Amino acid sequence: MPLVSMRQLLDEAAKGGYGVGAFNVNDMEQIQAIMEAAKQTNSPVIIQASRGARAFAQDNYLYHLMLAAAELYPEIPLAMHLDHGNSFETCKSAIELGFTSVMMDGSLKADGKTPATFEENVAVTKQVVDFAHERGITVEGEIGVLGGIEDGHGAGGTGLEHVTDPDQAVEFAEKTGVDALAIAIGTSHGAYKFSKKPDGSVLKMDILIAIHKRLPKTHLVMHGSSSVPKDLQDIINQYGGKLKETWGVPVEEIQLGIRNGVRKVNVDTDNRLAITGAIRKVLWETPEKFDPRDYLKPAREAMQKVVAQRMTQFGQAGHAGDYKALSIAEIAKGYKDGSLSTKPLVADK
Ligand SMILES: [Zn+2]
């Protein structure tokens, strides 16, 4: 199966009432871990690469690894998504390379750090939507500003400084026509999300629920949604690591989100932790080893385990064979004739 449209994956997820994990990759082993987990759980899947990943791996390596994944697992619907595009040019180059979905994060200026105005965000996102939809490519936008910094991208802070305003979210979706919308509800990027177990004072699930009621056709996206489980932190620290105690987003909160319109759940940190813990364990217990396969294989297995667990928790497990993937050309036709419109319907309010 060729790489498929993320829009179709999310529409199917909405129909089935589940969420789809979007896992970040930088190299072959991470792609392999995700695809094996998808096969193991029979899940459709989104694999995403940030600007940092594209720079690390180089576009052509990354793209051809993704094509290999699609070739090796023809039964798995697989979308390739750009995470946090910072400008029209970045999104355009991803689309021209072969990504089937892009995120235009216009919540920040092109420096990836400074919050942008609402008008700037609408203008650049709309420009990307026009370019992408004409080619059958999905677009995720962002309204409100997430906390934390990852891969040099982010405004920093706790994530509560720029929580999404539901009125703005509706206006943004209407003006841009994005397929998916990342909202800021107190989550942040990276491992150090919360200094205590998060509750209603830090995770604004009520805002998410309010936005979904008013934008039932726009797929909501939760960023910074690693759970940062204690057992993964412990393995790292047990074998010489020095992580400070930290809390992520509890899986139950993500599942509450999924019951209220969240269709894409971004997970990166948990996989980083799993990989690092597995590598540390091998090197600590058998310091005489020097063949990279001796630690990359357990690292890959550790990541596969986390991904498979998330796929099951998000509900996408078992759904890989539910539908026939449409071609990107067919998706482009749907955008053109209006059948894929996400414009909010007054009747749905
Ligand atoms: Zn993000």
Side-chain angles (χ1 to χ4, degrees), residues 139-278:
V139 181
E140 172 185 342
E142 175 169 325
I143 184 78
V145 181
L146 288 148
I149 298 176
E150 190 161 49
D151 278 358
H153 180 100
T158 62
L160 287 171
E161 292 89 347
H162 306 277
V163 168
T164 305
D165 166 5
D167 289 337
Q168 269 200 351
V170 172
E171 197 185 335
F172 183 82
E174 279 172 348
K175 287 189 164 156
T176 60
V178 287
D179 304 280
L181 185 59
I183 54 173
I185 51 164
T187 62
S188 50
H189 293 117
Y192 298 102
K193 298 180 192 303
F194 310 113
S195 52
K196 62 178 173 92
K197 195 173 188 283
D199 55 23
S201 67
V202 281
L203 271 182
K204 307 289 181 196
M205 298 306 288
D206 51 327
I207 291 182
L208 185 150
I209 292 166
I211 293 171
H212 175 54
K213 280 210 179 103
R214 295 176 59 187
L215 287 175
K217 287 185 161 185
T218 304
H219 304 299
L220 300 182
V221 183
M222 274 176 83
H223 278 242
S225 290
S226 277
S227 300
V228 200
K230 184 150 183 348
D231 58 329
L232 293 181
Q233 299 179 46
D234 286 348
I235 294 175
I236 291 179
N237 288 340
Q238 189 184 339
Y239 298 104
K242 280 203 172 87
L243 293 179
K244 289 180 287 176
E245 191 171 38
T246 175
W247 281 266
V249 180
V251 170
E252 313 82 73
E253 297 293 331
I254 297 169
Q255 289 168 332
L256 172 65
I258 290 169
R259 287 196 296 277
N260 289 282
V262 169
R263 299 293 158 232
K264 174 171 178 276
V265 187
N266 288 11
V267 174
D268 188 7
T269 297
D270 287 352
N271 293 324
R272 294 179 175 198
L273 293 172
I275 289 168
T276 299

Side-chain angles (χ1 to χ4, degrees), residues 6 9-10 20-24 34 44-48 77-81 263-265 311 316:
M6 187 171 88
L9 251 72
L10 300 184
V20 184
F23 305 99
N24 287 75
I34 296 166
V45 67
I46 301 163
I47 295 188
Q48 57 186 14
L78 164 62
M80 181 180 184
H81 176 74
R263 299 293 158 232
K264 174 171 178 276
V265 187
M311 287 171 161
Q316 74 206 81

